[in-house]
Amino acid sequence: MSSPQMPDSGQMSIDLLINARWVIPMDDQSAVLENHSVAVDQGRIVAVLPSAEAGQRFNARDQVDASTHAVMPGLVNAHGHAAMSLLRGIADDLPLQTWLEQHIWPLEGRWVSEDFVYDGTRLAIAEMLRGGTTCYADMYFFPEASARAATEAGMRVQLATPIIDFPTPWAQSPDEGISKTIRLHDEWRRSTLVSTAFGPHAPYTVSDQPISRIAPLAEEMDVPVHMHVHETAGEVTDSLAKFGLRPIRRLNQLGLMSPRLLCVHATALDEDDIAMIRDSGSHVVHCPQSNLKLASGFCQVDRLMREGINVALGTDGAASNNDLDMFAELSTAAMLAKAVSGDAAALPALQALRMATINGARAMGLDSVTGSLEAGKQADIIAIDLHSLNTVPVYHPASQLAYSTRSDQVSHVWVNGRRLVDNGELTSINQRKLFDDIQGWQTRLQESS
């Protein structure tokens, strides 16, 4: 990155200066900074500093007045199936296996294509950007179409390519899925927005041979592994009957448990499971609203964090949530953790915000790029207007963000320093065309469901 020019005044010329009432960097200090600014140049954060000092040091080509706002890193949605936004509400109020096997998988088998994934992902990206999410993990078919949708919109994505034993619209076998993952990684490895991961679906849908093959490949390629693990108690019971092992112990024997693994859901854990996650350095991705809706069980978030396990936050897909609202998700996570642990002090506001930002980036191996507001990192930033009936008075801005903020209070969103939401309006997505395209899919899906 070239150094900004120094004008005659001695000030440093930069692209953008955001002057905020509060800045919450989500760095190691976990502080809430009052009357601070974020300086951005060439897509990266230059400094986070007091606003009075920022005015003296920087000459910005663009300044944003966020005098009633909290400014923080963009939210990181660490697990989802973006294109399933097209299936939102099509099969509600059903148990997980019934929902999957009798409704979702048949619909996917008939309709999923590159066009389906591209349009569904555009809808998901629009919803996430409007709600302050700047980075997401996506486990779905035709990831090439997801990459195209994300790069066109300017959003950061990690593609966890689906690997599963039975044929899918994208790959006829696990080996084909692995080969396509390697090819996808090679195609996008120089992208500033798109990264890749292996996405073996779950222990009950992926056999030993593919799992054993993925572990050394992930190490060689330096990518994460993203997997539904211990989603329900029934999954554990079935694994014991079939393999004589709990799923996590089986994954450990197959070499998959490591700092590269994201264990999504993790609702049915015993003491040995928790110890294995902790000792391997694996991460947990908590999806509270999806778990509640599908009656999948409760993740012991407070216990996991006290064990030193990194816990991130995800929405899951819109077909089982039914939205992609990370502010609603982190509020649910914070309150559910208190009920599950029986401790009202469990998962306090700032810790919940960390789950939705830096913890997610760390789990995805992107914490050197995003997840906190620190000099040198990419400028993935959001501004939330707290001057609203539901968030005043503001005694503790972190508490307002965790417990009472609505996603429609997000006024500005930047990814790589590019403004993607401006005063609540999407700048990189044609919303009218998007609605028209989605209506077409609704008509087709309704006729076949």
Side-chain angles (χ1 to χ4, degrees):
M1 182 177 73
S2 61
S3 300
Q5 297 287 320
M6 295 290 286
D8 293 340
S9 64
Q11 293 178 312
M12 179 182 291
S13 291
I14 59 172
D15 291 331
L16 171 67
L17 188 64
I18 308 167
N19 302 310
R21 177 66 179 82
W22 303 277
V23 174
I24 308 178
M26 295 300 160
D27 57 8
D28 290 342
Q29 305 306 311
S30 293
V32 176
L33 308 174
E34 295 195 45
N35 300 311
H36 269 58
S37 299
V38 182
V40 175
D41 194 62
Q42 298 185 42
R44 293 184 181 272
I45 297 168
V46 175
V48 178
L49 71 172
S51 295
E53 182 181 342
Q56 296 174 353
R57 281 185 56 185
F58 298 112
N59 175 40
R61 286 173 280 279
D62 182 19
Q63 289 203 44
V64 172
D65 175 20
S67 57
T68 61
H69 295 62
V71 169
M72 61 181 286
L75 304 178
V76 178
N77 185 347
H79 177 69
H81 314 280
M84 292 183 80
S85 293
L86 290 180
L87 302 177
R88 189 195 321 260
I90 205 165
D92 282 341
D93 306 320
L94 297 167
L96 174 62
Q97 294 308 124
T98 303
W99 176 79
L100 271 177
E101 295 171 7
Q102 297 181 26
H103 297 272
I104 298 303
W105 284 346
L107 281 168
E108 288 179 329
R110 176 168 182 180
W111 288 109
V112 169
S113 64
E114 286 197 45
D115 287 344
F116 178 101
V117 172
Y118 176 71
D119 287 337
T121 302
R122 286 166 57 221
L123 175 61
I125 287 171
E127 180 184 357
M128 286 190 282
L129 283 175
R130 185 60 191 83
T133 296
T134 59
C135 175
Y136 70 104
D138 188 29
M139 181 193 283
Y140 210 63
F141 312 111
F142 297 103
E144 305 90 345
S146 300
R148 181 162 59 97
T151 52
E152 287 175 359
M155 193 170 186
R156 195 176 306 284
V157 62
Q158 183 166 92
L159 303 167
T161 50
I163 294 162
I164 197 164
D165 279 350
F166 51 79
T168 72
W170 184 63
Q172 292 299 298
S173 68
D175 285 344
E176 184 182 356
I178 291 171
S179 297
K180 284 188 169 183
T181 302
I182 295 169
R183 187 159 61 247
L184 188 79
H185 175 72
D186 289 341
E187 289 172 358
W188 289 96
R189 65 191 311 163
R190 291 178 179 83
S191 172
T192 60
L193 290 174
V194 178
S195 59
T196 54
F198 284 100
H201 174 260
Y204 61 90
T205 55
V206 187
S207 50
D208 287 1
Q209 189 272 339
I211 294 174
S212 297
R213 188 179 171 203
I214 286 168
L217 280 172
E219 187 72 26
E220 178 184 337
M221 294 162 58
D222 191 23
V223 299
V225 179
H226 199 112
M227 190 178 202
H228 302 94
V229 176
H230 284 235
E231 187 168 0
T232 65
E235 175 190 329
V236 177
T237 301
D238 291 346
S239 179
L240 285 167
K242 184 174 181 179
F243 301 103
L245 296 168
R246 294 173 67 85
I248 283 178
R249 181 166 292 279
R250 174 174 162 244
L251 295 179
N252 191 54
Q253 288 190 2
L254 294 171
L256 202 63
M257 299 295 295
S258 80
R260 298 190 181 280
L261 180 65
L262 286 73
C263 301
V264 181
H265 297 297
T267 65
L269 302 176
D270 67 9
E271 295 296 321
D272 289 342
D273 298 328
I274 293 172
M276 217 164 289
I277 294 171
R278 179 197 63 213
D279 294 346
S280 67
S282 300
H283 312 267
V284 167
V285 183
H286 182 34
C287 303
Q289 292 192 348
S290 178
N291 292 343
L292 288 167
K293 184 166 181 279
L294 293 171
S296 296
F298 304 106
C299 181
Q300 301 174 61
V301 172
D302 183 59
R303 170 69 193 284
L304 295 175
M305 287 186 162
R306 285 190 284 108
E307 290 288 338
I309 295 167
N310 181 52
V311 183
L313 194 66
T315 58
D316 212 347
S320 64
N321 186 305
N322 289 18
D323 59 45
L324 306 178
D325 183 341
M326 282 288 286
F327 276 107
E329 205 73 37
L330 72 91
S331 176
T332 301
M335 290 188 281
L336 187 60
K338 302 173 194 312
V340 169
S341 66
D343 180 4
L347 196 58
L350 266 173
Q351 198 170 35
L353 292 170
R354 290 183 69 84
M355 281 180 64
T357 53
I358 189 61
N359 288 14
R362 183 171 295 123
M364 294 164 65
L366 298 175
D367 49 315
S368 65
V369 175
T370 191
S372 62
L373 304 183
E374 299 181 76
K377 285 195 175 184
Q378 297 297 124
D380 296 356
I381 306 167
I382 61 175
I384 308 101
D385 191 353
L386 296 183
H387 189 64
S388 178
L389 291 174
N390 58 295
T391 46
V392 294
V394 184
Y395 301 114
H396 304 288
S399 290
Q400 305 305 75
L401 291 167
Y403 297 118
S404 56
T405 292
R406 302 186 311 263
S407 60
D408 61 8
Q409 290 173 250
V410 175
S411 62
H412 293 76
V413 174
W414 294 265
V415 176
N416 275 358
R418 178 185 174 191
R419 196 181 306 195
L420 302 183
V421 176
D422 186 16
N423 288 310
E425 297 295 325
L426 294 164
T427 66
S428 62
I429 295 172
N430 184 329
Q431 194 164 309
R432 179 175 295 180
K433 183 180 186 309
L434 177 61
F435 278 131
D436 289 343
D437 293 340
I438 300 311
Q439 182 59 55
W441 281 107
Q442 180 179 342
T443 301
R444 277 170 274 178
L445 286 159
Q446 276 183 316
E447 290 173 351
S448 65
S449 62

